[in-house]
């Protein structure tokens, strides 16, 4: 595998901190959420960074390469188009599933794939499809998880190693996610770093989070804690990463605080290597993975039965998470309840961002949130957040809500402007409300 081009120290570019990012001293590169930009209509702040020679890497969040369905060609084409528009040296995505097709459900979040042979076969085939379609190399990120799958057959390190050996994909290692999984799933970050092929490392993510009730939430809205910087130092002792990026997605701090976190990252990186790259365990794992890869190459990519089994398992779990169906056997029900609440809260927050008028119409953040969470219970998202905002507004109008006539008129006008249709007539609203109660 060719050495990764040097990136340096960077930050996740977000519109809310665009001005601050331009002023940060010594910033080498930025990463943008691929789905949030449009080729040919880049934000002026991003264009100025490009003109300055700052590298920009698109980071996808919606492919769902760990899902049972093969990658959507349109989504792949869109990701590749963004890479070309930005002149990016690579694109990145996640080892996760985000939706199911039967039934049609959207998580609105990255969910862990089971570490099983079936799931690995599906992931590897999906990755190869993506690699063939993309114009630049692909790197995949390990994700943070609130729960574990029952009946897993591999460790995180083994799963990642075999993925690399079978596909040649690069890895984006998020050390904050390693810490999250240490707290939430009892996994050893050092063991993961010891067992993965570090020559496949594209770059590293660093981010903050918070612990509540024994559960670590990877919020990207809190300062980077010392324990995450310690894990960056652990990784740095094994390999010199081509790039390290600070992620911050919400509750953006003052510019000086962002600069301080970048300085702390640089300090870790310049502290010096304390150990040789790799380890005996890592070499053993990689040798075993190569043997597995050779066997797989002789026997093929697995059958459709494995893809079907993965699809059924993911659909049962996602339905429990977003549609209120029973939790599948073997999962930690307490952790699944935490995930259900987290998904609903994130859904409410994102809808408020894509439709910022709704909290104002409904009387503020708390009334909006209460109404949205009541709507979301048992009403899964099936077509993205913008459609979800329209469905939420229609749901309220069907029930003759909000109670204030002026607010209801404002909501009607808002919905009508975006939906391009008349609100349901009263008799239709009554019929739908009765049908909903009967269900």
């Amino acid at each position: 595998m060719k050495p990764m081009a040097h990136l340096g120290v960077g930050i996740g570019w977000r519109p809310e901190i665009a001005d601050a990012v331009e002023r940060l001293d010594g910033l080498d590169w930025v990463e943008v959420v691929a789905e949030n930009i449009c080729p040919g209509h880049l934000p002026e702040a991003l264009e100025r960074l490009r003109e300055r020679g700052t590298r920009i890497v698109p980071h996808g969040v919606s492919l769902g390469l760990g899902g049972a369905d093969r990658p959507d060609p349109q989504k792949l084409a869109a990701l590749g188009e963004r890479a070309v528009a930005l002149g990016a040296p690579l694109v990145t995505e996640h080892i996760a599933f985000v939706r199911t097709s039967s039934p049609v459900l959207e998580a609105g979040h990255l969910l862990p794939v089971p570490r099983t042979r079936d799931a690995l076969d599906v992931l590897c085939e999906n990755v190869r499809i993506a690699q063939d379609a993309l114009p630049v190399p692909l790197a995949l990120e390990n994700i943070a998880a609130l729960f574990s799958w029952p009946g897993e057959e591999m460790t995180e390190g083994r799963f990642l190693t075999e993925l690399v050996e079978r596909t040649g994909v690069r890895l984006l290692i998020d050390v904050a996610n390693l810490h999250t999984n240490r707290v939430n799933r009892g996994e050893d970050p050092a063991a993961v770093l010891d067992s993965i092929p570090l020559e496949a490392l594209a770059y590293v993510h660093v981010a903050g989070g918070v612990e509540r009730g024994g559960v670590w939430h990877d919020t990207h809205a809190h300062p980077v804690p010392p324990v995450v910087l310690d894990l960056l130092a652990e990784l740095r002792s094994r390999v010199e990463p081509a790039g390290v990026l600070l992620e911050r997605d919400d509750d953006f701090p003052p510019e000086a605080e962002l600069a301080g976190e970048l300085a702390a990252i640089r300090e870790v990186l310049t502290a010096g290597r304390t150990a040789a790259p790799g380890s005996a365990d890592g070499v053993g794992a990689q040798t075993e993975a190569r043997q597995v890869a050779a066997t797989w190459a002789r026997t093929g990519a697995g059958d459709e039965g494995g893809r079907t089994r993965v699809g059924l398992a993911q659909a049962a779990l996602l339905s429990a998470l977003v549609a209120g169906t029973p939790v599948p056997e073997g999962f930690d029900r307490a952790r699944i309840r935490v995930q259900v609440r987290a998904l609903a809260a994130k859904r409410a927050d994102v809808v408020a961002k894509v439709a910022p008028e709704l909290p104002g119409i409904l009387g503020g953040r708390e009334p909006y949130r209460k109404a949205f969470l009541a709507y979301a219970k048992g009403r899964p998202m099936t077509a993205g957040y913008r459609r979800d905002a329209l469905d939420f507004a229609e749901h309220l109008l069907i029930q003759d809500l909000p109670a204030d006539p002026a607010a209801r008129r404002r909501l009607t006008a808002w919905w009508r402007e975006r939906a391009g249709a008349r609100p349901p007539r009263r008799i239709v609203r009554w019929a739908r409300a009765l049908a909903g109660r009967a269900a």
Side-chain angles (χ1 to χ4, degrees):
M1 187 173 288
K2 294 181 180 179
M4 179 68 196
H6 179 75
L7 290 171
V9 174
I11 193 168
W13 187 91
R14 304 293 182 265
E16 296 89 342
I17 55 172
D19 292 341
V21 169
E22 284 192 76
R23 291 189 295 265
L24 289 170
D25 289 334
L27 188 70
D28 299 309
W29 65 294
V30 299
E31 180 191 80
V32 295
V33 177
E35 290 80 356
N36 290 350
I37 60 169
C38 180
H41 299 86
L42 296 179
E44 291 182 4
L46 269 182
E47 288 283 16
R48 288 193 294 271
L49 287 174
R50 284 193 67 197
E51 291 168 2
R52 224 161 76 173
T54 303
R55 278 187 167 173
I56 305 172
V57 173
H59 185 54
V61 297
S62 66
L63 271 183
L65 292 174
D69 294 323
R70 290 177 175 83
D72 182 336
Q74 291 184 333
K75 290 183 181 293
L76 285 172
L79 183 58
E81 189 179 7
R82 283 151 178 77
V84 172
L86 295 169
L90 78 164
V91 296
T92 57
E93 248 286 354
H94 299 83
I95 301 169
F97 81 100
V98 297
R99 66 182 62 85
T100 59
S101 59
S102 182
V104 177
L105 296 171
E106 287 278 348
H109 189 69
L110 303 165
L111 296 174
V113 301
R115 297 179 196 139
T116 61
R117 291 289 167 197
D118 279 347
L120 182 61
D121 287 345
V122 168
L123 175 62
C124 287
E125 184 183 356
N126 289 350
V127 167
R128 284 190 296 274
I129 292 170
Q131 289 171 317
D132 288 344
L134 292 169
V136 295
L138 172 68
L140 295 181
E141 179 180 350
N142 60 305
I143 72 162
L146 289 173
F147 61 88
S148 298
W149 282 80
E152 293 194 312
E153 300 165 350
M154 285 171 274
T155 63
E156 175 86 335
R158 177 75 171 274
F159 193 84
L160 294 177
T161 298
E162 293 198 20
L163 171 65
V164 171
E165 294 292 341
R166 288 171 55 167
T167 66
V169 74
R170 291 188 180 273
L171 296 177
L172 192 180
I173 295 299
D174 189 317
V175 291
N177 291 350
L178 292 179
H179 173 65
T180 301
N181 294 340
R182 169 166 54 192
V183 176
N184 295 347
R185 304 205 283 188
E187 297 173 354
D188 181 3
V192 176
L193 294 176
D194 281 342
S195 60
I196 61 175
L198 291 173
E199 69 272 14
L201 182 64
Y203 60 86
V204 179
H205 273 175
V206 177
V210 64
E211 187 171 352
R212 301 190 191 101
V215 176
W216 187 268
H217 296 269
D218 180 48
T219 63
H220 294 192
H222 292 79
V224 177
V227 67
V228 170
L229 291 176
D230 290 344
L231 283 178
L232 178 61
E234 282 268 0
L235 184 147
R236 176 64 181 83
S237 72
R238 293 162 172 78
V239 68
E240 183 175 355
V244 179
L245 183 118
L246 171 66
E247 287 188 294
R248 188 73 177 238
D249 294 333
D250 210 346
D251 290 341
F252 297 101
E255 184 177 331
E257 188 173 328
L258 290 175
E261 292 200 305
L262 290 170
I265 290 171
R266 290 189 187 95
E267 185 176 345
V268 171
L269 296 177
T270 57
R273 185 175 297 174
T274 60
S279 70
D281 289 342
V283 172
Q286 291 171 43
T287 300
E288 186 174 0
R290 290 188 180 96
Q291 294 169 349
V292 170
T295 301
W296 175 87
R298 289 193 299 271
T299 58
D303 55 25
E304 286 300 308
R307 194 174 281 273
T308 299
R309 289 189 292 273
V310 170
L312 290 172
Q314 291 180 347
L317 174 61
L318 186 52
S319 182
L321 291 173
V322 302
T325 59
V327 178
E329 193 66 31
F331 284 95
D332 183 326
R333 282 172 165 73
R335 285 299 175 90
I336 294 298
R337 285 195 295 271
V338 172
Q339 184 71 81
V340 168
R341 291 194 294 271
L343 289 177
K346 178 180 179 181
R347 186 175 162 192
D349 290 344
V350 176
V351 166
K353 286 183 177 180
V354 301
E357 304 87 354
L358 290 178
I361 293 172
L362 297 178
R365 183 179 183 275
E366 289 309 315
Y368 157 77
R369 195 175 180 83
K370 181 178 179 181
F372 187 89
L373 292 178
Y375 150 79
K377 193 173 183 180
R379 291 179 180 84
M381 180 170 61
T382 60
Y385 289 110
R386 296 186 188 281
R387 181 71 252 178
D388 205 21
L390 288 171
D391 290 346
F392 169 54
E394 183 178 358
H395 165 76
L396 294 178
L397 293 172
I398 286 170
Q399 300 181 79
D400 282 330
L401 295 173
D404 175 53
R408 193 162 62 251
R409 284 194 297 273
R410 290 176 61 199
L411 184 62
T412 298
W414 181 91
W415 180 86
R416 188 172 183 178
E417 180 182 341
R418 288 155 183 80
R422 291 183 177 181
R425 291 181 298 168
R426 183 175 294 274
I427 190 169
V428 176
R429 298 202 299 267
W430 285 346
R432 290 184 184 177
L434 286 171
R437 285 196 288 270

